[in-house]
Amino acid sequence: MFLNMRKQYVLIGLSAGMLSLALFACHAGRNNPGRIYAPDMYYSRAYNSYSVNLVYADSMSSRLPVPGTVPRGHTVNAHELLPFNLPQSDSAYAVSGQVKNPLPVITQATLEEGQRLFNIYCAICHGEQLDGQGPLYKSGKFPVQPANFHLPQYLNMPEGTMFYSVTYGKNLMGSYASQLSERQRWEVIAYIKSVQAKDLAKGTDSTAVAKK
Ligand code: HEC
C-alpha cells in the first residue's frame, strides 16, 4: 500500500513535469519563428505584381507592354507590320478580308503540318476530307452539321474570318486558341485554303457536286 502510494506520487510528478515542459515548448515556439533558410524566397526583392510602386506616377507595379511590341510566340502580321492581335471586338475587321495569313512563306512542310494538326483537332467534326462528315458528327452524337469546306460559302470565306472563328469559336464549335498557337492556327487555315484552291481550280462544277 505504502509502496503503491509512492509509485503514484512519482507518476503524478513525472506527468506534471512533462506537461509543463510541453507547455513551455509551445510557448517558446510561438515567440521564435525559427530560421529562414532562403530569405530571398520569403521576402521578394522585386516588386510584387500588385504592390504599390512609388517609382511610377500611377503607382502600379504591373506595367503594360511598350506600345508596338510583340509578345514572344505571337506572330507579326507581315502585311501590315503590326503585332497580330485580333481582339474579339474586331470581328468586322476579320470578316472584311483585310486580315491575311501572316506566315511569310507557305511551303509544302507548312501544309503538311497544317494537315497533321487539322487531322488531330478538326477532322473529328469536319472530316479528313474537309466535307463536314467527321466521325463525331456521323455518330449522331453531335447535333449540328460542321462546316463542309467544299461549299461555296466556305470556299469564298476570307482567311481572317476563319482565323477569327477558330480563335474565338463559332456557335457550337469551341475556341482553339488554347490548343493551337497563332502560327499553328494559320498553318491549319493555310491547309484548308490549299485544299479549297483545288476545288476552285476545278471550277464551279466540282463545288456543285460537293454541295450535294
Ligand atoms: C466539335 C466539332 C468541331 C470541331 C472539333 C471543329 N469544328 Fe469547326 N465548326 C464546327 C461547327 C458545328 C461549325 C459550324 C458553326 C456555325 O456556323 O454555326 C464549324 C465551323 C467552322 C468554320 C467556319 C466558321 C465561320 O465563321 O462560319 C471554320 C473555319 C472551322 N469550323 C474551322 C475549324 C478548325 C480549323 C478546327 C480545328 C482546329 C475546327 N473547326 C474544329 C464544329 C467543329
Side-chain angles (χ1 to χ4, degrees), residues 117-118 121-126 136 142 144-147 149 153-154 157 161-163 165-166 170-174 176 180 185 188-189 192:
L117 295 169
F118 183 91
Y121 292 98
C122 324
I124 185 157
C125 286
H126 291 285
L136 182 63
F142 193 70
V144 292
Q145 164 81 61
F149 294 122
Q153 71 192 91
Y154 295 111
M157 181 171 273
T161 311
M162 290 189 168
F163 185 85
S165 298
V166 175
K170 171 101 194 268
N171 296 328
L172 275 191
M173 180 176 89
Y176 284 84
L180 299 171
R185 275 172 264 155
V188 170
I189 289 160
I192 296 175

Side-chain angles (χ1 to χ4, degrees), residues 2-183:
F2 176 74
L3 253 177
N4 264 350
M5 282 282 279
R6 255 182 79 177
K7 259 192 189 163
Q8 266 180 8
Y9 282 133
V10 168
L11 261 176
I12 288 169
L14 259 176
S15 38
M18 274 165 75
L19 194 73
S20 56
L21 241 170
L23 284 174
F24 178 74
C26 283
H27 184 72
R30 212 176 296 142
N31 283 340
N32 176 9
R35 243 174 231 284
I36 297 177
Y37 293 106
D40 280 4
M41 288 174 71
Y42 289 93
Y43 307 111
S44 165
R45 282 163 192 250
Y47 287 104
N48 286 321
S49 309
Y50 297 108
S51 65
V52 173
N53 190 319
L54 299 178
V55 176
Y56 296 106
D58 60 9
S59 79
M60 295 200 308
S61 285
S62 294
R63 309 306 301 167
L64 291 170
V66 176
T69 48
V70 184
R72 248 173 225 270
H74 288 244
T75 31
V76 175
N77 192 343
H79 301 266
E80 298 167 8
L81 292 172
L82 282 173
F84 193 87
N85 177 19
L86 189 60
Q88 193 148 20
S89 55
D90 263 358
S91 64
Y93 174 52
V95 173
S96 69
Q98 293 173 63
V99 177
K100 301 279 183 230
N101 193 329
L103 295 180
V105 276
I106 292 169
T107 61
Q108 190 57 31
T110 316
L111 298 179
E112 279 166 15
E113 179 62 2
Q115 179 171 26
R116 187 182 75 84
L117 295 169
F118 183 91
N119 287 345
I120 293 172
Y121 292 98
C122 324
I124 185 157
C125 286
H126 291 285
E128 291 200 0
Q129 304 306 317
L130 283 66
D131 54 3
Q133 299 294 322
L136 182 63
Y137 176 62
K138 279 207 291 194
S139 74
K141 297 214 166 67
F142 193 70
V144 292
Q145 164 81 61
N148 169 355
F149 294 122
H150 300 286
L151 294 182
Q153 71 192 91
Y154 295 111
L155 291 179
N156 300 322
M157 181 171 273
E159 46 196 5
T161 311
M162 290 189 168
F163 185 85
Y164 185 86
S165 298
V166 175
T167 303
Y168 293 108
K170 171 101 194 268
N171 296 328
L172 275 191
M173 180 176 89
S175 156
Y176 284 84
S178 65
Q179 292 97 317
L180 299 171
S181 69
E182 283 175 18
R183 164 174 276 277

